[in-house]
Every structure is written in C-alpha cells, then in structure tokens.
Amino acid sequence: MAEKKNQHFVPQSYLRFFSNNEKTIGTYNINKDFPFTNAPIKGQASEDYIYSKDIRIEGQLEEMEKVCMRIFRKIITNPYYVLHDVEKLDVIGYLVLQFGRTRLSIDRMKESINDWGIQKFKEFVGHNNIDPHLRFACKKEHEGAFTLGMYNESITLCYDLTIKYLVISPLLNKYFITSDNPVCLLNPLFDLYGIPNVINFNQKGLCLLMTLTPSVAILLYDSESYKIGARKPCLALENSKDIDTINRIVASNSNEVLYFNDKHCIDFSIREMARSGKLKKYVSTYRNGACVLPFIHILDKVKYQGDTSNLTSQFLHRKYCYYLMEHPDVAKKLKDIAGNASIEDKKKIRESLRNRK
C-alpha cells in the first residue's frame, strides 16, 4: 500500500508536457509571489491518500491517465489529428475528472456539502439562530473519493461537447502556463446573459479549457452555442492577447501554484495581480459587447436580449442534457455503458486505435 500513499491530483505525466527534461518544471507560488525553476515534478500537486487508502481508486486513475496521455501525444505530434469516437469520450472523461480530482475541487465540494447541510438544518429547526461552529461534512478520509464520485456522474453530461485544439502560432513569442487546478470551466454565453460565475456541466454554452503544452491547449465547447474556426480540429492562435487572456483564466482558476516551462517565465501582469490579491478574481469572458476570446463566436440563435430572470430551465440547459433529464432511463444506460465495460474490452478497443495515425 505504501507505494500508492503519495497521490498526485495533477498527474506527473501531464506536467512533463511542460518540462524540458521530464524531471523538473517551473513553479510560481501565488501566495508567496515566489517563482522557482527546476522544481522536481515528483513532488508537485500531491498529497498522502488524497482520494482514499483504497489504492484501487489510484490504480483506476492511473489507467485513465495512461490512455489519455497516449491520445494527447498524438494531438501534440499532429494537431490535425481527428479523434476516434472512443478517444473523444476518453478525453472528455479525463477533463471532467481532472477538474474534480484536485485539492481545490475537493475543498469546494466540502463547502457545498456544509452549505447544503446548514440550509437543511435551518429549515428543520425553523430558525436561523444556530451555532456558528456547526459544520456538515463527510469524513476527511472519504472527501476525495466522494468528490471523484460526484464528478464521475457528470461525465456523460459532456458527451455532446465538441473538441478543438488551440495551437499558438510559431511566429508568436508567447507560451501557455498551467496550474494545480488545470481544467477551467467557462461560459461566455452566461457572461453575456449577465449570469457570471455559475457554471454547471449541463448548462448551455459550457466550455472546458485545459492547456496541454506550452503551445497547445484543448477546448471542449457547446457547438450549439458557439462557432470556433473551421471544421478541422485545429485552430491557430495568431494574436498574443489571446494567449495572455487564456493564461489569465488559467491563473484565476488555480489554487496555490502555477506551472510553466523552465525556458519561459510567469507574465509580469499575473505576478502584479497576485501581489494585489486580484489574481483569483472571476474573469468574465464577455465584455464590451464581445467575447474576450475573439475566436469564440456566440451564435445569434442563442443570444437573449430580454430579462434573464425569466429564462426557463429548458432554455438554460443544453438540449442534450435536458433530454437526459427528461429521460433518466437513457441517462442511466449511458452511465452503465461508460462505467461497466470490462477492462479487457476497453483495452481491445484502444489497442485497435493505438497505431492510428
């Protein structure tokens, strides 16, 4: 069991994409305003038994990582690579679980459980005058596993999203960073509606963004709400401001540490915001009548000019997710298919895809 004690909530295999030697990486501690190069990857983004002492959970995550890192290498090598359907589902599952497996997500889940418990307790006792020290939570040793389980339930909600690779033009002297909470949830459509910082996996306009290397990022997006580039999977970023905006979003979604390639550095503006305490401030993706990422074009058919307080649940959810809500039998079947396929069957499917160019 000891070999699984130190569990990485951001995989070492992912951080190596930002390394020059696959052993060290640049780090920036936000709270201490301290950049450090040549930090060992082995000690980054990890805690003892953050998920559980049941090492089977760590083993399942490692299997998922191995599969997706092979897919990511294909994308890095050939940004015009078109994912097979099975590979697409693997990538979607990886991003959703990566969002849910970090220390920041576990802490947020703890707060959500407590807020829900406090509210229900107030309703039960019939007044708000309760002990301010009262807390509701699951056992500490179960927090990580519980959070993973909750986000695992959300994977099928994202199966309708489209995948786009964002590749920085080699003419630009700009590079992506990443963090100890590398998957960012965005919703430019909701920012347009004036409903900021309320992001769920079933919402219309959902986007998941993760930088993959210093020059490549992956974007999952709702194609019923946005048009992003042409049909080909790759979009070249040729405006340095777009890279700055993406890095600002990545930084605002971090917990304590930003990561970067040792050859590069953390942008001065990010360090200034860290010093002023403004780095974690929510980054609105829609300002002054346009998306701050200009390659994301909001479709006219989903724009709403009226009073957003009157928007219905059906309007705010993606059609795919609303269908699953209305047909729980279909949702259950999807979850069963996603979760119950045998390891051997999955290996056979993936083996047939491994040598696909």
Side-chain angles (χ1 to χ4, degrees), residues 160-161 185-191 193 199-208 219-226 285 296 298 302 315-319:
D160 63 318
L161 298 179
L185 268 60
L186 322 172
N187 198 323
L189 182 63
F190 272 35
D191 286 340
Y193 291 163
I199 302 176
N200 294 311
F201 289 107
N202 56 10
Q203 290 174 343
K204 184 180 292 187
L206 175 71
C207 299
L208 281 76
L219 180 69
L220 309 184
Y221 69 97
D222 173 17
S223 59
E224 293 292 318
S225 297
Y226 310 115
T285 52
I296 299 179
I298 301 177
V302 296
F315 185 86
L316 293 175
H317 291 84
R318 300 195 307 282
K319 291 180 181 178

Coordinates of all heavy atoms in Angstrom, one line a residue, residues 160-161 185-191 193 199-208 219-226 285 296 298 302 315-319:
D160 N -21.7 15.5 -25.5 CA -22.2 16.2 -26.7 C -21.2 17.3 -27.1 O -21.4 18.0 -28.1 CB -23.6 16.8 -26.5 CG -23.6 17.8 -25.4 OD1 -22.9 17.6 -24.3 OD2 -24.2 18.9 -25.5
L161 N -20.2 17.6 -26.2 CA -19.3 18.7 -26.5 C -18.4 18.4 -27.6 O -18.0 17.3 -27.9 CB -18.5 19.1 -25.2 CG -19.3 19.5 -24.0 CD1 -18.4 19.9 -22.8 CD2 -20.2 20.8 -24.3
L185 N -13.4 25.9 -16.2 CA -14.8 25.9 -16.8 C -15.2 27.4 -17.1 O -15.0 28.3 -16.3 CB -15.8 25.4 -15.7 CG -16.1 23.9 -15.8 CD1 -14.8 23.1 -15.7 CD2 -17.1 23.5 -14.8
L186 N -15.6 27.6 -18.4 CA -16.0 28.9 -18.8 C -17.5 28.8 -19.4 O -17.9 27.8 -19.8 CB -15.1 29.4 -20.0 CG -13.6 29.1 -19.9 CD1 -13.0 29.5 -21.2 CD2 -13.0 29.8 -18.8
N187 N -18.1 30.0 -19.4 CA -19.4 30.1 -20.1 C -19.6 31.5 -20.6 O -20.2 32.3 -20.0 CB -20.5 29.7 -19.2 CG -21.8 29.4 -20.0 OD1 -22.1 30.0 -21.0 ND2 -22.5 28.4 -19.6
P188 N -19.0 31.9 -21.8 CA -19.2 33.2 -22.4 C -20.6 33.6 -22.6 O -21.0 34.7 -22.5 CB -18.4 33.1 -23.7 CG -17.4 32.0 -23.5 CD -18.1 31.0 -22.6
L189 N -21.5 32.5 -22.9 CA -22.9 32.8 -23.1 C -23.6 33.3 -21.9 O -24.3 34.3 -21.9 CB -23.6 31.6 -23.7 CG -25.1 31.7 -24.0 CD1 -25.3 32.7 -25.1 CD2 -25.7 30.3 -24.3
F190 N -23.3 32.7 -20.8 CA -23.9 33.1 -19.5 C -23.3 34.4 -19.0 O -24.0 35.2 -18.4 CB -23.6 32.0 -18.4 CG -24.7 31.0 -18.4 CD1 -25.3 30.5 -19.5 CD2 -25.1 30.4 -17.2 CE1 -26.3 29.6 -19.5 CE2 -26.1 29.4 -17.1 CZ -26.7 29.0 -18.3
D191 N -22.0 34.7 -19.4 CA -21.5 36.0 -19.1 C -22.2 37.1 -19.9 O -22.5 38.2 -19.4 CB -20.0 36.1 -19.4 CG -19.2 35.3 -18.4 OD1 -19.7 35.1 -17.2 OD2 -18.0 34.9 -18.6
Y193 N -25.4 36.8 -20.8 CA -26.7 36.9 -20.1 C -26.6 37.7 -18.8 O -27.6 38.1 -18.3 CB -27.2 35.5 -19.8 CG -27.6 34.7 -20.9 CD1 -27.8 33.3 -20.8 CD2 -27.9 35.2 -22.2 CE1 -28.2 32.5 -21.8 CE2 -28.2 34.4 -23.3 CZ -28.4 33.0 -23.1 OH -28.8 32.3 -24.1
I199 N -21.5 28.0 -13.1 CA -21.1 27.1 -14.1 C -21.4 25.6 -13.7 O -20.8 25.2 -12.7 CB -19.7 27.2 -14.6 CG1 -19.4 28.7 -15.0 CG2 -19.3 26.3 -15.7 CD1 -18.0 29.0 -15.4
N200 N -22.2 24.9 -14.4 CA -22.5 23.5 -14.2 C -22.3 22.8 -15.6 O -22.4 23.4 -16.6 CB -23.9 23.3 -13.7 CG -24.1 23.9 -12.3 OD1 -23.3 23.7 -11.4 ND2 -25.2 24.7 -12.2
F201 N -22.1 21.5 -15.5 CA -21.8 20.7 -16.7 C -23.0 20.6 -17.6 O -22.8 20.2 -18.8 CB -21.3 19.3 -16.3 CG -19.9 19.4 -15.7 CD1 -19.8 19.2 -14.3 CD2 -18.8 19.6 -16.5 CE1 -18.5 19.2 -13.8 CE2 -17.6 19.6 -15.9 CZ -17.4 19.4 -14.6
N202 N -24.2 20.9 -17.1 CA -25.4 20.7 -18.0 C -25.8 22.0 -18.7 O -26.8 22.1 -19.4 CB -26.6 20.1 -17.2 CG -26.9 21.0 -16.0 OD1 -26.4 22.1 -15.8 ND2 -27.8 20.4 -15.2
Q203 N -25.1 23.1 -18.5 CA -25.5 24.4 -19.0 C -25.3 24.6 -20.5 O -24.3 24.1 -21.0 CB -24.8 25.5 -18.2 CG -25.2 25.7 -16.8 CD -24.3 26.7 -16.1 OE1 -23.2 27.1 -16.6 NE2 -24.8 27.2 -15.0
K204 N -26.1 25.3 -21.1 CA -25.9 25.8 -22.4 C -24.7 26.7 -22.4 O -24.5 27.5 -21.5 CB -27.1 26.6 -22.9 CG -27.1 27.0 -24.4 CD -28.3 27.8 -24.8 CE -29.5 26.9 -24.8 NZ -30.7 27.6 -25.4
G205 N -23.8 26.6 -23.4 CA -22.7 27.5 -23.5 C -21.5 27.1 -22.8 O -20.5 27.8 -22.7
L206 N -21.5 25.8 -22.2 CA -20.4 25.4 -21.4 C -19.1 25.2 -22.2 O -19.1 24.7 -23.4 CB -20.7 24.0 -20.7 CG -19.6 23.3 -20.0 CD1 -19.3 24.1 -18.7 CD2 -20.0 21.9 -19.7
C207 N -17.9 25.6 -21.6 CA -16.6 25.3 -22.2 C -15.7 24.7 -21.1 O -15.8 25.2 -20.0 CB -16.0 26.6 -22.8 SG -16.9 27.4 -24.1
L208 N -14.9 23.8 -21.5 CA -13.8 23.3 -20.6 C -12.5 23.5 -21.3 O -12.3 23.1 -22.5 CB -14.0 21.8 -20.3 CG -15.0 21.4 -19.3 CD1 -16.4 21.4 -19.8 CD2 -14.7 19.9 -18.8
L219 N -9.8 22.6 -26.0 CA -11.1 23.3 -25.6 C -12.3 22.4 -25.9 O -12.4 22.0 -27.1 CB -11.2 24.6 -26.4 CG -12.5 25.5 -26.1 CD1 -12.4 26.0 -24.7 CD2 -12.6 26.6 -27.1
L220 N -13.1 22.1 -24.9 CA -14.4 21.4 -25.2 C -15.4 22.5 -25.2 O -15.4 23.3 -24.3 CB -14.7 20.4 -24.1 CG -13.6 19.3 -23.8 CD1 -14.2 18.3 -22.7 CD2 -13.2 18.6 -25.0
Y221 N -16.3 22.5 -26.1 CA -17.3 23.6 -26.2 C -18.7 23.1 -26.7 O -18.8 22.1 -27.4 CB -16.8 24.7 -27.0 CG -16.6 24.5 -28.5 CD1 -17.6 24.9 -29.4 CD2 -15.5 23.8 -29.0 CE1 -17.5 24.6 -30.8 CE2 -15.4 23.6 -30.4 CZ -16.4 24.0 -31.2 OH -16.3 23.7 -32.6
D222 N -19.7 23.9 -26.4 CA -21.0 23.6 -26.9 C -21.2 24.2 -28.3 O -21.4 25.4 -28.5 CB -22.0 24.3 -25.9 CG -23.5 24.3 -26.4 OD1 -23.8 23.5 -27.3 OD2 -24.3 25.0 -25.8
S223 N -21.2 23.3 -29.3 CA -21.3 23.8 -30.7 C -22.7 24.3 -31.1 O -22.9 24.8 -32.1 CB -20.9 22.6 -31.6 OG -21.7 21.5 -31.5
E224 N -23.7 24.1 -30.2 CA -25.0 24.6 -30.4 C -25.0 26.1 -30.0 O -26.0 26.8 -30.3 CB -26.0 23.9 -29.6 CG -26.3 22.4 -30.1 CD -26.9 22.4 -31.4 OE1 -27.9 23.2 -31.7 OE2 -26.5 21.6 -32.3
S225 N -24.0 26.6 -29.3 CA -23.9 28.0 -28.9 C -22.8 28.8 -29.5 O -22.9 30.0 -29.6 CB -23.7 28.0 -27.3 OG -24.8 27.4 -26.7
Y226 N -21.8 28.1 -30.0 CA -20.6 28.8 -30.5 C -20.1 28.2 -31.8 O -20.3 27.0 -32.1 CB -19.4 28.7 -29.5 CG -19.7 29.0 -28.1 CD1 -19.6 28.0 -27.1 CD2 -20.1 30.3 -27.7 CE1 -19.9 28.3 -25.8 CE2 -20.3 30.6 -26.4 CZ -20.3 29.6 -25.4 OH -20.5 29.9 -24.1
T285 N -15.8 36.4 -19.4 CA -15.4 36.1 -20.8 C -16.2 36.9 -21.8 O -16.0 36.7 -23.0 CB -15.5 34.6 -21.1 OG1 -16.8 34.1 -20.7 CG2 -14.5 33.8 -20.3
I296 N -14.0 32.7 -30.2 CA -15.3 32.1 -29.8 C -16.4 33.0 -30.3 O -16.6 34.1 -29.7 CB -15.3 31.9 -28.3 CG1 -14.2 30.9 -27.8 CG2 -16.7 31.3 -27.9 CD1 -14.2 30.7 -26.3
I298 N -20.3 33.7 -30.5 CA -21.6 33.3 -29.9 C -22.6 33.4 -31.1 O -22.8 34.4 -31.7 CB -22.0 34.2 -28.8 CG1 -20.9 34.1 -27.6 CG2 -23.4 33.8 -28.2 CD1 -21.2 35.0 -26.5
V302 N -28.7 31.9 -30.0 CA -28.8 31.7 -28.5 C -28.6 33.0 -27.7 O -28.7 33.0 -26.5 CB -27.6 30.7 -28.1 CG1 -27.8 29.3 -28.7 CG2 -26.3 31.3 -28.4
F315 N -34.4 26.5 -21.4 CA -33.6 27.4 -22.2 C -32.1 27.4 -21.7 O -31.2 27.5 -22.6 CB -34.2 28.8 -22.2 CG -33.5 29.7 -23.1 CD1 -33.8 29.9 -24.4 CD2 -32.4 30.5 -22.6 CE1 -33.2 30.7 -25.3 CE2 -31.8 31.4 -23.5 CZ -32.2 31.5 -24.8
L316 N -31.9 27.3 -20.4 CA -30.6 27.4 -19.9 C -29.7 26.1 -20.0 O -28.5 26.1 -19.9 CB -30.6 27.8 -18.4 CG -31.2 29.2 -18.2 CD1 -31.4 29.5 -16.7 CD2 -30.3 30.3 -18.8
H317 N -30.4 25.0 -20.2 CA -29.7 23.7 -20.4 C -29.5 23.4 -21.8 O -30.3 23.7 -22.7 CB -30.5 22.6 -19.7 CG -30.5 22.7 -18.2 ND1 -31.4 23.5 -17.5 CD2 -29.7 22.1 -17.2 CE1 -31.2 23.4 -16.2 NE2 -30.1 22.6 -16.0
R318 N -28.4 22.7 -22.1 CA -28.2 22.2 -23.5 C -29.3 21.2 -23.8 O -29.7 20.4 -22.9 CB -26.8 21.6 -23.6 CG -25.7 22.5 -23.4 CD -24.3 22.0 -23.9 NE -24.0 20.7 -23.4 CZ -23.5 20.4 -22.2 NH1 -23.4 21.4 -21.3 NH2 -23.2 19.2 -21.8
K319 N -29.7 21.1 -25.1 CA -30.8 20.2 -25.5 C -30.4 18.7 -25.1 O -31.3 18.0 -24.6 CB -31.0 20.3 -27.0 CG -31.6 21.6 -27.4 CD -31.8 21.6 -29.0 CE -32.3 22.9 -29.4 NZ -32.5 23.0 -30.9

